[in-house]
Each structure stands twice: as C-alpha cells, then as structure tokens.
Amino acid sequence: MKIKVIVTLKKGVLDPQGKAILQTLNGMGYSNIDEIRQGKFFEISVNEDNEAKAKAQVEDMCKKLLANLVIEDYKII
Amino acid sequence: MKSSVIIFPGSNCDRDMDVALKKFGFKNTMVWHDNQSIPKSDLIVLPGGFSYGDYLRCGSIASKSKIIKSVIDFANSGGLVLGVCNGFQILTETGLLPGILQQNKYLNFICKNIFVKIKDKKNKYFKNIKKDILELHIAHNEGNFFCTEAELKNLEDNNQIALTYCSSNGLEDEINNPNGAIKNIAGIFNKNKNVLGMMPHPERMIDKFLSGEDGSLFFENLLGNLK
C-alpha cells in the first residue's frame, strides 16, 4: 500500500526558498502570484493491507523523523 | 582528560577537532557512528560537516544513528556533550537541545570570521574564560536558529543562551547577525548546561599564524574547568 505524505513549513515560519522562487516567477512575468511555500513529498510503500494501520505507522514516522514539528506540519494523503 | 569525537558519514571537521583537543591536552578517541558504545569520556564532541549529505534535514539522519543512544544517555547522566555546526544541528534533532537550525535568511553559504558574545559563564564551558567576546569562524548554510516563543522564553529564563553574534565591540544587532538567527543566537545550552551546541568553529581558531587564538582560549579554559 502506498501512503503519501506532504511536509510543509508551518504558517509564519520564514521560507526563504519559497520567497526566492516567488521572486523569480514574478520576474518571469507571473505577476499574479502572491506566495509560494516549498515543501517535501514522500511516497511510502508499506507492506500492510490494513489502511488505518499503515497510516498510523506513517504518522508515527512523521512525528519521529519525516517532519520536525518545531517548524513543519505534515499531511498524510 | 578523555574526549571522544563521533564520526558520521559526511563529517569533515572531525580531524580538526581531534587536532585541537590533543593540542590542549585531551586524550582523544575517534568513534565511528556505527559503534554501540563510546569509550569512557569526560567530553563527547559531535563535529561539523555534512552528516549523511544533509539529507531530509541537517542532522536528522545522524540523530537516529546507532551511537546516538549512548550520546543521549551520557548527556542525561550529566556528561559534557559539545556539538559544533553540524553537531549543533544533530543535537537539536535528537531533542537534547530545543529549536532547529534553518536555512540562512539570505540563502547563502556563509564562510567567514565573526564575533560572538559569551552570554553565560556559570558553566563548565565558559567559566573562568577571560574574554567576553570571541573571534571565531563560521561555515554553514543552515545556521539560522529558530524556536517557538515558549522555547525562547525558557532559554532566556534559564540563561541557556550561550553565544550571540555581535560586532567586535559587542553590539548584538541585525547587521552583525549573519544568518537571521532569533536574537542573534549562535549557541545554546540544555537546561543543566552540560550540553552545548554552537555554530562557530573553535577548532579553526587554534593557531595565531593561521587564524586566531580565541579557539585556543576556549579549549584551554574547558580543559582547566574539567581538571
């Protein structure tokens, strides 16, 4: 079973890379973009048939390694 | 006094640290990250570098390596643990120190001499040190210290801020903040002040002909405090 995780910076945490990308896009002529937040995407293949169980396991992984909860939020999809 | 320097794949300041520790009289052992245990030590050092290629987040993979449990146990029993640069990043990822080192505010890798102010001398690392301001070297891309407001309040209330970036005469302003760190923070202690994480490299300032000698002061003083 494949579980997907998106990790993003928490609201209010400075994202200098996102800002640099935004400025570049603005410079390229995409003038209607207000904000870009860069994040990370994980695709995890879990050897488990029970979806709830697999997701619980991935949630544990997020808390312990995949995200740093001081600055990041995670979303399991 | 005995010290141990932990080497991770991608550490690159481990040998500099070894030279510095030995120069000032530590009997140092290099310890590979895959070992389960650490030789009996008075000081454990997590050196600078790019452990595991800075994958995921700087220090995050190293913070789960085999040896780390021994480092955490040593720290929790009151042993001195010093993390420099990547070592500081690893210490925050283990949870021994609060906060995180984010990417530098202006997205640049900074490699230069800076000045730091010693904010607390009631600890083994800085007790008796004669100077209040040290000239040290920084070389990092992720040194922008960040923590929650509650954590910052704890750091301030318990005098856990060890070093702040400043000018040569001690001005702690934005111009002298190289990476955007909260409150110009360059180094912090844990609550018991036996764990110190710092971005500047004292091991790079131990020779007056090559660099400067404020790193020498740091190591000499630390050794004196441990005797």
Side-chain angles (χ1 to χ4, degrees):
Chain A
M1 177 176 300
K2 274 193 180 151
I3 309 279
K4 292 167 183 170
V5 177
I6 292 176
V7 174
T8 48
L9 284 170
K10 283 194 161 117
K11 224 179 168 179
V13 174
L14 187 74
D15 178 8
Q17 286 194 78
K19 218 171 157 187
I21 297 165
L22 172 70
Q23 283 168 357
T24 305
L25 285 172
N26 286 157
M28 287 164 73
Y30 298 99
S31 53
N32 57 345
I33 301 171
D34 295 329
E35 196 187 15
I36 289 196
R37 307 285 284 169
Q38 187 179 295
K40 292 173 188 147
F41 174 76
F42 302 87
E43 197 175 71
I44 304 166
S45 300
V46 190
N47 203 354
E48 171 64 61
D49 298 328
N50 183 327
E51 190 179 339
K53 237 177 170 177
K55 283 193 170 170
Q57 201 186 348
V58 168
E59 173 140 27
D60 197 41
M61 293 177 201
C62 288
K63 285 179 185 159
K64 286 182 179 160
L65 181 68
L66 300 184
N68 184 315
L69 301 183
V70 178
I71 52 164
E72 293 170 328
D73 285 325
Y74 61 87
K75 201 188 277 175
I76 298 168
I77 47 174
Chain B
M1 289 293 130
K2 288 181 182 155
S3 58
S4 294
V5 172
I6 316 289
I7 313 167
F8 300 97
S11 295
N12 64 9
C13 301
D14 46 322
R15 278 177 288 177
D16 300 43
M17 188 57 82
D18 181 53
V19 169
L21 289 165
K22 284 177 179 161
K23 182 172 180 177
F24 300 102
F26 281 94
K27 217 174 152 218
N28 188 51
T29 310
M30 306 299 273
V31 182
W32 183 237
H33 71 102
D34 212 23
N35 290 7
Q36 293 277 14
S37 62
I38 300 168
K40 199 174 174 328
S41 307
D42 303 291
L43 169 73
I44 292 176
V45 183
L46 305 183
F50 300 84
S51 59
Y52 298 89
D54 282 348
Y55 293 168
L56 191 62
R57 291 178 308 277
C58 300
S60 63
I61 309 285
S63 77
K64 308 292 179 218
S65 61
K66 247 189 208 173
I67 197 83
I68 285 296
K69 201 189 166 299
S70 304
V71 176
I72 293 173
D73 289 346
F74 180 77
N76 288 338
S77 65
L80 292 198
V81 178
L82 167 67
V84 172
C85 199
N86 188 226
F88 184 9
Q89 295 163 343
I90 296 168
L91 287 174
T92 62
E93 285 285 345
T94 59
L96 283 171
L97 292 177
I100 184 169
L101 285 311
Q102 279 193 282
Q103 189 165 35
N104 297 340
K105 191 175 174 185
Y106 301 109
L107 293 170
N108 49 352
F109 187 96
I110 308 166
C111 183
K112 64 175 186 180
N113 286 5
I114 45 85
F115 292 95
V116 285
K117 191 184 268 185
I118 301 168
K119 301 294 280 185
D120 185 276
K121 291 191 180 179
K122 289 181 184 159
N123 59 76
K124 286 264 168 68
Y125 296 95
F126 298 112
K127 195 177 112 191
N128 298 325
I129 204 160
K130 285 179 196 112
K131 285 188 176 178
D132 293 323
I133 294 163
L134 301 178
E135 184 179 10
L136 296 174
H137 190 83
I138 53 168
H140 60 245
N141 194 50
E142 284 86 5
N144 177 357
F145 182 77
F146 179 87
C147 63
T148 62
E149 274 177 37
E151 283 171 332
L152 182 63
K153 191 175 180 305
N154 277 338
L155 287 176
E156 287 177 325
D157 290 352
N158 303 323
N159 299 316
Q160 284 173 253
I161 298 174
L163 301 166
T164 51
Y165 299 107
C166 65
S167 64
S168 58
N169 55 2
L171 209 59
E172 302 158 274
D173 55 7
E174 208 180 320
I175 299 167
N176 292 293
N177 184 346
N179 52 29
I182 285 186
K183 300 262 173 184
N184 285 36
I185 288 173
I188 56 168
F189 301 108
N190 65 340
K191 212 168 178 180
N192 293 328
K193 297 188 187 171
N194 57 315
V195 179
L196 168 64
M198 59 196 278
M199 288 315 293
H201 292 266
E203 78 279 12
R204 292 191 183 181
M205 301 298 252
I206 56 162
D207 190 314
K208 66 178 168 187
F209 296 112
L210 286 176
S211 47
E213 287 196 294
D214 283 359
S216 310
L217 272 183
F218 173 79
F219 288 107
E220 278 168 353
N221 187 66
L222 174 58
L223 187 72
N225 288 340
L226 288 177
K227 274 178 182 165

